[in-house]
Amino acid sequence: MKKSILFLLTLILASCGASSVKNTENKPLFEILTQQNDGGANIRFFEILTEPNEIKMLQNDAKLKNKTSVNDIHNSNFIVLNMGEKETAGYKIGIDNAVETDKNIIITVKETTPKSGAVESQVLSNPYCIVKVNSKKPIIIK
């Protein structure tokens, strides 16, 4: 009788302890917030935004307003990828791969060019991409 009461008491205590396990969200390492064929800068550059004032600037952008949250300032970094001015349509920039190590995040950029022989509009374009990295670790861009 004492053993069964002790067993039930142990079972109840163990089940109470299990309910206190943290509920963690499994977010992807990165999210593409916007990827546009035009509207970026005239020069090719990559910029990592880590400071609160830089991130607030993104939060005020009409295209990104509903894709960022107040907590992103503390939990995320952002990357702006600009491909520069191109003489035709058909160019695109984005992320090929992202790897998290103990110390940092390694981002591999992917630039897509028009297929050889493809007929593209002869218009100036400025492809760009804005990426949210769900980590505050330092970022290395390849």
Side-chain angles (χ1 to χ4, degrees), residues 61-80:
D61 184 279
K63 290 181 183 175
L64 304 174
K65 194 170 241 179
N66 297 326
K67 297 180 180 183
T68 60
S69 72
V70 176
N71 293 332
D72 288 340
I73 290 173
H74 306 291
N75 303 325
S76 303
N77 287 324
F78 293 82
I79 304 171
V80 177

Side-chain angles (χ1 to χ4, degrees), residues 30-99:
F30 72 92
E31 301 170 53
I32 303 234
L33 299 182
T34 189
Q35 189 172 32
Q36 303 292 324
N37 295 331
D38 197 29
N42 290 337
I43 59 169
R44 181 180 186 271
F45 73 90
F46 308 146
E47 185 175 1
I48 300 167
L49 308 178
T50 59
E51 297 298 317
N53 60 337
E54 297 170 324
I55 295 170
K56 283 182 182 179
M57 180 183 70
L58 287 180
Q59 291 172 332
N60 291 330
D61 184 279
K63 290 181 183 175
L64 304 174
K65 194 170 241 179
N66 297 326
K67 297 180 180 183
T68 60
S69 72
V70 176
N71 293 332
D72 288 340
I73 290 173
H74 306 291
N75 303 325
S76 303
N77 287 324
F78 293 82
I79 304 171
V80 177
L81 305 172
N82 270 290
M83 200 169 189
E85 186 174 86
K86 303 298 174 190
E87 293 186 12
T88 66
Y91 288 87
K92 187 175 175 181
I93 190 165
I95 301 290
D96 184 44
N97 190 17
V99 177

Side-chain angles (χ1 to χ4, degrees), residues 12-22:
I12 291 170
L13 289 174
S15 66
C16 290
S19 66
S20 67
V21 174
K22 290 181 181 178

